[in-house]
Amino acid sequence: MDSLEKYKNDIDLLYQQYLDGRYDIVTIAFTLVCGLVEHKDLSLIDSSPDEVVNTMYSHASGFKKEGSYIVVSNVGVTDHSDLFNELIVFLEQNDIAI
């Protein structure tokens, strides 16, 4: 299985676990962001559940307005601005307005 297919499978699996209450939707949307930036392939959006895609768009829109994307977790504070900047560029190159 190639990396793109692994992202698709991981998103499906995480979404099922989200429906079971084990993950939050933001975690899955972040997985989608990482896959889109790594593979630059819109089929990831097409194959993802609408709720995941809408959450990804919402966070991308927030990044575009605020100019930063800081995550605080149990491993510390991480600035994901570069990742979201790449995402915005990719989406806009494919005529997807954020």
Side-chain angles (χ1 to χ4, degrees):
M1 173 183 315
D2 70 5
S3 181
L4 178 62
E5 287 303 313
K6 183 169 179 355
Y7 268 106
K8 290 177 181 180
N9 287 337
D10 286 350
I11 289 168
D12 287 341
L13 177 63
L14 289 169
Y15 188 71
Q16 290 306 311
Q17 292 176 345
Y18 158 74
L19 295 175
D20 292 338
R22 295 200 279 173
Y23 283 96
D24 63 272
I25 198 71
V26 174
T27 299
I28 307 159
F30 193 77
T31 303
L32 176 58
V33 169
C34 292
L36 286 168
V37 168
E38 181 177 335
H39 291 284
K40 308 286 193 269
D41 190 323
L42 293 176
S43 71
L44 276 167
I45 292 174
D46 296 335
S47 66
S48 295
D50 289 344
E51 188 174 6
V52 174
V53 174
N54 291 337
T55 301
M56 182 268 303
Y57 285 144
S58 175
H59 283 254
S61 176
F63 165 76
K64 192 170 180 181
K65 289 177 188 166
E66 298 296 324
S68 66
Y69 197 91
I70 307 294
V71 174
V72 178
S73 70
N74 61 339
V75 295
V77 178
T78 308
D79 183 350
H80 291 290
S81 297
D82 290 343
L83 182 71
F84 273 83
N85 191 47
E86 278 191 64
L87 174 68
I88 297 294
V89 168
F90 169 69
L91 293 174
E92 289 178 348
Q93 286 173 341
N94 286 281
D95 298 321
I96 299 173
I98 297 294

